[in-house]
Amino acid sequence: MSKTFHKRPRCLSKPIVINSIEIPPVHRYPQQTTQTLKKSVHLLVQDKDTRWGCKMGKLTAVGVENLKTPKRYADGDGLYLEVDAKGNKRWLVRFSLDGKRSFMGLGAYHKRSNSLAMARDAAVDARRLVNAGINPVTHKKEQSEERAAQQLVREATKRANKQTFQACANEWYEANKSQWKNSKHTQQVINTLEHYAFPHIGQRPVAEVSLNEVLSCLNPIWTTKTETADRLRQRIENVFSFSIAKGYREKQNPAQWRGYLDQVLPSPKSLKRTKNLKNNSDGHFAAMDYRDLPDFMSQLRTKDLISARALEFTILTASRTGPVLNATADQFDWTNKVWNVPASQMKNGRPFRVALSDRAIEIAKSVEGLGEYLFAGRGAGKPMSNNTMRQLSLRLASDITVHGFRSSFRDWVGEETDYDYRLAEYALAHTLDSAVERAYARGDQLAKRFTLMNDWADFVTDK
């Protein structure tokens, strides 16, 4: 190979094969004999063998391309070409690890993308792993899984960059609305986002929305509609938490209150307190003094309206508006004088038994059979509107709320009776404050509540 030639070379028009090594068309000199080429090829093979630490070279690129007979052809040092009955070809490498011989696929043969030379390199890589005590099959699987995971991350990142706040909010809403019992509340959740958030950040990528952009939604109503603004903030925070969990966003939640928004916005509680002091209010539902209730109930009984009966029943049972409006005849146990309110209608999500006074049973039976609901609305198969009792109570006594009658009941128990305060809490379906009391008081004191509710009915109807 070190010999110097001075004559002009001429080109071989065809490749030649020496010792199973294909020599492509190259410039060679007339003086260069086949023996010289063989010697050069021998040195080349020796060089390859030394580099790979193995014996390869039985197959040739041309030979591999032309092989048709179904068979497994050895190239050397564990590399095989397998030809099946249909003429398909694939590379295999045989290895031995922990005393066990195995084969690993190196992919289908292709003269450009998976040629003989490429298969030899892959076989060498596999043997290096074996020498290091690593199973190449397991290693290949792990690499494949890692690539798949990386691809998922790339796809998630790509989706996140395209996912708008509005699209993410709608996805969060659909995923969570089944857990909200009140249809009015369910609608309000999406309405507040549509009205106050979407105009500002709806079309922004959810991954990129900043604290200042969230403030652009909250600032216009934070001091004027504090209750709405606080609920809006919580819903925006929930959407961002959802986006982080889904992989749409990696940055911190920009609507988080503690340690974040509380540094730039006044506390909703302090704003409400200031507003209540200015309006000479305690911030609770406006309630009628319990001492005025007998006169109010007397007026109420003169009204021949389904709404009047519903309001009277609500006061007698000290119930919330929702369960009363959605009450159906099959919820009542007339024999035992119990109204079984299903969990879906209760604020705490647990079923509740209401002890009925004689007057409450009289009212319930008087409207039974008028419709699907005990207190039916104007539309067929629909309950009474949530605002109907409110409007009636305002016509009879201004500045009170239906919910406030529960407070009137609680004040009456505390001021006029010797009943245990816990009995009143049970009647209102409240949870006891003390964890110790909750642990030991597992009943609902239904039997005692019958006496309490009949005494309450006697008080409010004493006119």
Side-chain angles (χ1 to χ4, degrees), residues 49-87:
D49 288 350
T50 302
R51 178 169 58 89
W52 289 342
C54 60
K55 297 179 181 179
M56 289 187 177
K58 291 183 180 180
L59 298 176
T60 66
V62 174
V64 168
E65 182 69 20
N66 294 326
L67 289 173
K68 304 294 183 184
T69 305
K71 184 181 174 183
R72 187 174 287 175
Y73 298 88
D75 182 58
D77 201 31
L79 179 63
Y80 292 85
L81 177 73
E82 187 174 73
V83 182
D84 65 18
K86 294 182 179 180

Side-chain angles (χ1 to χ4, degrees), residues 325-352:
L325 296 179
N326 290 282
T328 55
D330 60 351
Q331 296 173 4
F332 289 82
D333 180 352
W334 304 119
T335 303
N336 294 307
K337 300 181 180 181
V338 173
W339 172 27
N340 295 296
V341 184
S344 60
Q345 296 300 325
M346 293 300 297
K347 184 178 180 180
N348 59 16
R350 294 193 295 268
F352 181 66

